[in-house]
Every structure is written in C-alpha cells, then in structure tokens.
Amino acid sequence: MGVTGFRGRVVALAVLIATAVVAVLVVVSHVLLSQVTESDANALARSRAEAVAANVTVRNGHVVLVESGNEALDTVSWVYADGHLVDGIVPGGVLDRVDALVGSGRSQTVTVGSDLLYAQPILLEGHHVMAVVRVDLTPYETSEQRSLTMSLMLGGISILLAGVVAHLVVGRALRVVHEMAALADDWGDHEPGRRFDLGVPRDEFGELGRTSTAWTTRSRTSAGSPTRSPTNCGHP
C-alpha cells in the first residue's frame, strides 16, 4: 500500500467516524426535540381544556358556557353535555374522533392528521360534560423539520471538515517520510555512510526511522565483512 493509499484510508476512516458520530447526534437531537414539542403541544391542549372548563356552568338545569370574550377558544374547543354538543362547531374531518373521545368519558389524547385532540371531563353535578380542544401541530412539525434540516447541514459540514483536517494532518506527517526518502536516495548516491541523526524517537515515524537506519547499517556492515570461501573451509 503506497503513501497515497495510506492517506486515503486514514481520511476515509476519519470521515466514517465523523459520519457515525453526526448520525447519532442528529437522531438523538431529533428524538429529544420531538419529545419536547409533543410535551409542549400536550401542555397547550390541557391549558385550553382547563380554560374551557372554567367557563362551563349550570343554569336552570342546563349546561351552558359562560362567554369569556376569548374568540380564539371558540374555534378550537367544543363542549358536550350528556352526549350533545352545547358549544362550538366541530369540523367534519374530526367529527367521528371527537364523538369517540366524548363517548369514552375520560381524559385522553389522539392525533388526527396535523391536529391534536384532547378530551377532558368536567365535573358538574347531575351532568356528563366533556370538553374537547384542538391544537394545530403544523408549527411544531415545521419547527422539527427545520431543526432536522439544519442539523443535517451542520453535520455534512462537520464531516467535510473532518475529512479535510485528516487529509492535511496525514499529509503533513507523511511529508517527513518523503523528505527522509529523498535524502536517503541522495546520500546513497554520494555519501553511502551517512545516517540520520534522529535522536530519541518521539512518535511512530521516529521509531520507524530509527529501525530503518539500524537495519541499513547492519546491512551495509554485513555486505562489507569478508567471507571465507567454502572451498577453503577444510584447509588451514
């Protein structure tokens, strides 16, 4: 494997690790954001239901809703008394689900398309009263999508930077190897006995250079040592 191949593998490994880290961070952040937005939507639904319940009373034996002056609640809340709608107009798209919530007689939450429906019983003596409210989830979903898009963009930039940094760092480290190889070739032609003064190795490249120098020295020493001919081994 050449130097280019070594550098490419290191860069590829750095990019792979960065991709894995970014993917985990994006998934975790998206899950946490989804939980937060879901909690906020549920909290808003409960607060709306409590606001509606505070304005429900009984007059002359009939359940009525005291006008609160908040017209915004009129479009997202409905009040049922003894199975009949007494306030609000339920859109046809959620009518069946609202009827099911009212019929259950207990607090529960369901999601219909981009709407969150929350039903809450209202305690009134002699009557079965339910308040149902709606929360539009579109702003929450839009916020999640924007956050995910931003996370993916930042993640992509981080991966690119990791690859560039790895390429530069490895290239700088391998520059020493190129320089030593060039000097060794030059000394081999003009100064065969010259060696690198590496000192104490400070990293893997230093250890490699010391080992290479020692090996070269032993090779040259062995090559310069006189050897006895096999034909003369048996004669004094």
Side-chain angles (χ1 to χ4, degrees):
M1 179 176 62
V3 173
T4 302
F6 173 76
R7 179 188 301 178
R9 293 193 180 187
V10 172
V11 172
L13 179 60
V15 170
L16 180 62
I17 294 175
T19 302
V21 172
V22 168
V24 171
L25 292 177
V26 169
V27 171
V28 171
S29 62
H30 185 64
V31 170
L32 292 177
L33 180 60
S34 298
Q35 293 177 349
V36 170
T37 54
E38 181 180 358
S39 177
D40 290 343
N42 289 331
L44 177 59
R46 286 191 294 269
S47 65
R48 285 181 177 178
E50 292 172 358
V52 172
N55 294 312
V56 176
T57 186
V58 178
R59 290 181 180 174
N60 300 323
H62 299 284
V63 177
V64 296
L65 182 68
V66 180
E67 295 297 332
S68 62
N70 190 349
E71 297 181 357
L73 287 177
D74 295 338
T75 61
V76 294
S77 63
W78 312 283
V79 177
Y80 283 78
D82 302 321
H84 301 285
L85 180 65
V86 298
D87 185 78
I89 301 176
V90 183
V94 296
L95 182 58
D96 293 339
R97 303 304 295 270
V98 171
D99 289 341
L101 290 172
V102 172
S104 68
R106 58 188 178 86
S107 298
Q108 59 177 319
T109 302
V110 297
T111 302
V112 182
S114 60
D115 292 326
L116 175 70
L117 301 179
Y118 173 69
Q120 176 178 304
I122 301 176
L123 299 178
L124 287 177
E125 186 176 354
H127 297 277
H128 172 66
V129 183
M130 293 286 293
V132 182
V133 299
R134 180 185 66 179
V135 174
D136 186 8
L137 298 178
T138 302
Y140 299 97
E141 294 173 350
T142 301
S143 177
E144 289 183 16
Q145 291 176 355
R146 289 178 178 175
S147 177
L148 179 60
T149 301
M150 184 63 65
S151 298
L152 291 175
M153 292 177 60
L154 293 177
I157 294 175
S158 299
I159 294 172
L160 178 61
L161 289 177
V164 171
V165 170
H167 184 273
L168 293 177
V169 171
V170 175
R172 184 175 180 179
L174 293 179
R175 187 184 309 164
V176 179
V177 177
H178 286 294
E179 294 175 353
M180 292 179 64
L183 286 174
D185 290 339
D186 182 67
W187 292 347
D189 295 335
H190 303 91
E191 302 178 71
R194 190 170 179 179
R195 301 290 182 270
F196 290 105
D197 184 13
L198 298 175
V200 179
R202 294 177 296 177
D203 52 26
E204 289 80 358
F205 289 107
E207 294 179 356
L208 177 62
R210 183 180 65 176
T211 302
S212 177
T213 299
W215 179 83
T216 303
T217 301
R218 287 195 299 268
S219 298
R220 292 183 181 278
T221 301
S222 300
S225 299
T227 57
R228 300 180 64 182
S229 174
T231 58
N232 297 324
C233 291
H235 302 279

